[in-house]
Structure formats: C-alpha cells, structure tokens
Amino acid sequence: QVQLVESGGGLVQAGGSLRLSCAASGRTFSSYTMGWFRQAPGKEREFVGAIVAAISWRGGYTDYADSVKGRFTISRDNAKNTVYLQMNNLKPEDTAVYYCAATGKYAPSTSEEVSYDYWGQGTQVTVSS
C-alpha cells in the first residue's frame, strides 16, 4: 500500500512558476512509476506527465502531455520518497486540481489513468491572467 500526499499548489499569475511535491509512504518508492494528472472544473482528468521507475521497462523515461512540454519538468528524489512537478510559464488554462499517482507495473502505459494503482488527494493550482 502506498499513500501519496501532494503539496505546493496555490495561486500564481500567468507566466509564473510553482513546484508541486508528492510525498509517498513506503520503502519501495524507487520501484514505482509516478505520474501527474490534473482536472479542471467541468473537465475530465487528464495526463500531465510521468517518470518511469528505474527498474521498469523504459526505466528513467519521462513523458509529458503536449500541452506542457517545454514548460513542466518531472523529477524524483528516491531518498526522500518524493516526486516533483516543476511548472514554469504557467497559463490560465493550467488551472486545475493536480494529482499524483503511482504504479508498480513493469510496463505501464504512463498516460492512462487505469495504469495507476494509488492516487493522492490533489492540490489546487490557480493561474490568474
């Protein structure tokens, strides 16, 4: 069982930056592929990005939605059981609740919600114009 807790959300002006953190419980964090998703009001939850566990197929690979490529960066610190989402040049359309997720699958489809077994409670990001 893995518990995930996101933090770092808030209100920021367009063009600004935020760094989200997702702290995970458990001793095997390094074996989990971690993903970030977001859900805007009235919309379905969508993929943001993911970082594949080193021991998995495509170990270390990072994947991003086209809408955030070049602006968002995912990283992880296995010693701290934490994954980060650095968000730069934020736009009003990035406003959403951001969720982190984890999967222990060897070859997950990183952009699909069904690949993930554990989810955090979400953190709100609001970008003002």
Side-chain angles (χ1 to χ4, degrees), residues 47-50 61-66 68-69 72-75 85:
F47 172 72
V48 174
Y61 176 74
T62 53
D63 187 20
Y64 297 96
D66 288 343
V68 307
K69 280 182 181 176
F72 290 11
T73 303
I74 294 175
S75 61
L85 181 65

Side-chain angles (χ1 to χ4, degrees), residues 37-111:
F37 290 76
R38 67 186 182 186
Q39 187 168 21
K43 295 186 177 181
E44 293 186 352
R45 190 156 56 185
E46 65 176 4
F47 172 72
V48 174
I51 183 165
V52 179
I55 64 169
S56 298
W57 180 65
R58 299 188 305 166
Y61 176 74
T62 53
D63 187 20
Y64 297 96
D66 288 343
S67 59
V68 307
K69 280 182 181 176
R71 299 189 298 123
F72 290 11
T73 303
I74 294 175
S75 61
R76 64 192 300 162
D77 185 337
N78 291 330
K80 295 183 178 179
N81 280 16
T82 301
V83 63
Y84 303 99
L85 181 65
Q86 177 67 44
M87 306 185 294
N88 298 328
N89 190 21
L90 282 160
K91 304 176 180 181
E93 51 264 42
D94 294 318
T95 295
V97 177
Y98 283 71
Y99 300 89
C100 72
T103 177
K105 296 180 178 65
Y106 177 72
S109 177
T110 51
S111 63

Side-chain angles (χ1 to χ4, degrees), residues 9-25:
L11 174 64
V12 64
Q13 289 187 335
S17 298
L18 280 176
R19 188 177 79 158
L20 305 184
S21 299
C22 174
S25 64

